[in-house]
Amino acid sequence: MDDMVYYMIRAIEKAKEAAQKGEVPIGAILVDEQNRILAEAHNKPIALSDPTAHAEILAIRNAAKLLNNYRLTSTTLYVTIEPCIMCAGALVNARVKRLVYGAPDLKAGACGSLMNLVQDSRLNHRLDVVKGVLEDECRALIQDFFSSRRKQGGEVPKRS
């Protein structure tokens, strides 16, 4: 199995954990250049009462703590949905080498959809980006989550 598919499947599993807890289903896996998993995370803004507790941010924080280094050079982040502006900025600041994401976020995506912060030539670091890995599965997961929430008449949390 292709490494990108393997890690995206793991990210999807993390996203499903988030959905089971009522969080927007986004999962992230951060690996080093030897393809060792440094961190796995899913969205937790509701559980942590923290608007910055996106899957990408939590994975970055956990890996940085593990490596005792705020620079995550030579790493790849796999995430189910295109990162938002906050997460894209964190990826640039952490010097993540590559981003692999599943489905685009046409309303808030900052890695090619709404804007492309992670490849902006004005910044001092740019990421390699691979889009669309298991895109249909990633899109269905988030669409099903929001559809289910609307049918239940419950409050639909905003995209985290």
Side-chain angles (χ1 to χ4, degrees):
M1 178 185 318
D2 179 280
D3 285 349
M4 286 192 285
V5 171
Y6 173 77
Y7 291 114
M8 190 59 70
I9 288 170
R10 290 195 65 144
I12 289 169
E13 290 170 2
K14 297 305 289 184
K16 288 178 180 177
E17 287 180 34
Q20 291 170 352
K21 297 173 183 175
E23 301 275 4
V24 175
I26 298 174
I29 309 292
L30 190 71
V31 303
D32 66 14
E33 60 191 338
Q34 287 82 36
N35 287 325
R36 293 179 298 217
I37 294 176
L38 300 174
E40 298 179 294
H42 62 74
N43 272 6
K44 291 185 181 179
I46 298 167
L48 298 178
S49 298
D50 179 356
T52 70
H54 292 200
E56 302 95 322
I57 298 293
L58 296 173
I60 289 168
R61 286 178 183 161
N62 292 339
K65 195 173 286 188
L66 175 74
L67 298 174
N68 196 32
N69 193 340
Y70 69 109
R71 297 282 193 235
L72 300 174
T73 58
S74 302
T75 62
T76 297
L77 181 75
Y78 296 86
V79 62
T80 54
I81 303 295
E82 178 183 359
C84 69
I85 294 167
M86 175 183 69
C87 294
L91 292 168
V92 170
N93 285 330
R95 307 297 193 269
V96 170
K97 181 177 182 179
R98 183 172 69 147
L99 167 66
V100 178
Y101 70 83
D105 183 343
L106 302 178
K107 293 181 181 179
C111 304
S113 291
L114 185 63
M115 65 182 61
N116 195 349
L117 189 65
V118 297
Q119 293 181 323
D120 191 317
S121 63
R122 295 169 294 180
L123 299 177
N124 62 346
H125 179 72
R126 285 165 292 290
L127 282 73
D128 297 326
V129 178
V130 178
K131 306 173 185 182
V133 176
L134 299 181
E135 180 175 347
D136 293 339
E137 293 88 336
C138 293
R139 180 183 296 109
L141 184 60
I142 201 158
Q143 287 176 340
D144 291 350
F145 174 80
F146 283 112
S147 175
S148 174
R149 295 291 292 238
R150 283 191 282 284
K151 285 178 185 170
Q152 293 172 5
E155 183 178 315
V156 178
K158 298 294 181 191
R159 171 9 185 144
S160 319

